[in-house]
Amino acid sequence: MQKKTRNTTAKQEILKLIANAGQALSHVEIQQQLNNLCDRVTIYRVLNRLVEEQKIHKIVNTDGVVNYAACHDCEHHHHNDNHVHFSCTICKSVTCLDNIIPTFQLPADYLMQEMNFMIAGICPNCKA
Amino acid sequence: MQKKTRNTTAKQEILKLIANAGQALSHVEIQQQLNNLCDRVTIYRVLNRLVEEQKIHKIVNTDGVVNYAACHDCEHHHHNDNHVHFSCTICKSVTCLDNIIPTFQLPADYLMQEMNFMIAGICPNCKA
DNA sequence: TTATTTAATGCAACTTAGTTGCAAATATAA
DNA sequence: TTATATTTGCAACTAAGTTGCATTAAATAA
């Protein structure tokens, strides 16, 4: 029997933040913007729940820091982070390049469950 | 003026370990296999040096854990981790799929410096 | 509306990963 | 063999994330 999940204030606010962000947010950024709405442990737990419920994506940066982004195409397509993520080494922003989907051929004897395509470099804003 | 780097015992042993491993190793795994040859801080520092010297690759797993692998094609090609890495969710092994190189088109206004392509799933060994 | 139940929260304490400063040790070149 | 600059060990620290447990608060039933 599956555990029922609740629509709490913390969850609503965190999801709203991520959905309106335009770029992926780290735990620290979310905590700062929440302005003491809830404990930092709660943020961790809410983020994990949202990932499980497939409402947000978890993106691991090239330095190991985790960021979270809203799901855009997951209504239509399968929930899978199959596009490229870009991490700017100057302004530190992490964004989803939703349209850039790499093609590759995984050997048949491998089973794919999850993918994380991360590119670090300089974003258009900082390059200009 | 560039700092001259030394060929110390710790560096030799760590590079040997990684080169002979057949799979990517984490800091913890390296520390265990080194059997108190040196301090854990030294391992961190040696690993960073080896990455800077482009003797090994740094691979970030889907859970944020960092692994290190020997460079195979970097003699001939540019030093760039442009192939797919595979992380088995069962046996926890991290391997380089040297031949699987994704193709994608990054918009011209982005500048790429580094990439990390990670796929998590079940490896041939564990699937069998 | 109130009572019941179970998920979610807050807090404190903890683990794990990695970093820093500094004195001592050691590889390299002269 | 000596000089010098890199590397190491140690202790202490930061940052990221987890866990246990008592309390709070959604959601549902009465």
Side-chain angles (χ1 to χ4, degrees):
Chain A
M1 181 180 97
Q2 158 118 332
K3 216 160 81 153
K4 231 169 258 173
T5 161
R6 289 178 188 179
N7 196 21
T8 64
T9 337
K11 190 173 162 186
Q12 286 168 23
E13 291 306 312
I14 292 173
L15 187 53
K16 204 188 294 177
L17 264 185
I18 296 175
N20 297 333
Q23 55 175 247
L25 300 176
S26 67
H27 174 269
V28 186
E29 290 166 329
I30 293 170
Q31 186 175 2
Q32 286 166 348
Q33 295 191 44
L34 277 182
N35 214 58
N36 273 11
L37 173 81
C38 65
D39 193 73
R40 54 182 218 97
V41 177
T42 301
I43 302 178
Y44 279 115
R45 294 198 261 228
V46 168
L47 287 171
N48 287 339
R49 253 182 290 146
L50 286 171
V51 170
E52 269 168 35
E53 295 169 19
Q54 311 206 338
K55 298 225 172 84
I56 60 174
H57 284 301
K58 185 176 180 173
I59 306 167
V60 181
N61 210 328
T62 45
D63 56 3
V65 173
V66 174
N67 284 67
Y68 298 91
C71 290
H72 291 304
D73 297 347
C74 292
E75 259 84 10
H76 337 107
H77 305 70
H78 188 57
H79 177 88
N80 227 341
D81 228 350
N82 61 350
H83 54 264
V84 169
H85 304 116
F86 193 89
S87 167
C88 180
T89 49
I90 296 181
C91 69
K92 306 299 174 196
S93 69
V94 177
T95 46
C96 290
L97 305 184
D98 287 302
N99 305 320
I100 318 293
I101 297 171
T103 58
F104 62 95
Q105 186 72 50
L106 196 66
D109 46 355
Y110 285 87
L111 179 66
M112 177 164 76
Q113 294 171 328
E114 197 183 333
M115 52 178 139
N116 189 61
F117 284 176
M118 195 76 217
I119 294 179
I122 302 178
C123 77
N125 264 348
C126 293
K127 206 181 149 203
Chain B
M1 181 184 92
Q2 158 118 331
K3 217 160 79 153
K4 232 168 257 173
T5 163
R6 288 179 189 178
N7 197 20
T8 63
T9 337
K11 188 173 163 186
Q12 285 169 24
E13 291 306 310
I14 291 173
L15 187 54
K16 203 188 293 175
L17 264 185
I18 296 175
N20 297 333
Q23 55 175 248
L25 300 177
S26 67
H27 174 268
V28 186
E29 289 166 328
I30 292 170
Q31 187 174 2
Q32 286 166 349
Q33 294 191 45
L34 277 182
N35 213 59
N36 272 12
L37 173 80
C38 65
D39 192 74
R40 53 180 219 97
V41 177
T42 301
I43 302 178
Y44 280 115
R45 294 199 261 225
V46 168
L47 287 171
N48 288 339
R49 252 182 291 147
L50 286 172
V51 169
E52 270 168 34
E53 294 169 20
Q54 313 206 337
K55 298 225 172 83
I56 60 174
H57 283 301
K58 185 175 180 172
I59 306 167
V60 181
N61 211 328
T62 46
D63 56 3
V65 173
V66 174
N67 285 66
Y68 298 90
C71 290
H72 291 303
D73 297 348
C74 292
E75 259 83 10
H76 335 107
H77 304 72
H78 189 58
H79 176 88
N80 226 342
D81 229 350
N82 62 350
H83 55 264
V84 169
H85 304 116
F86 194 89
S87 167
C88 181
T89 49
I90 295 180
C91 69
K92 307 297 171 196
S93 70
V94 176
T95 47
C96 290
L97 305 184
D98 287 300
N99 305 320
I100 318 294
I101 297 171
T103 58
F104 60 96
Q105 185 73 50
L106 196 67
D109 45 355
Y110 285 88
L111 178 66
M112 178 163 77
Q113 294 172 328
E114 196 183 335
M115 52 177 139
N116 189 60
F117 285 176
M118 194 76 218
I119 293 179
I122 302 179
C123 77
N125 264 347
C126 294
K127 205 181 150 204

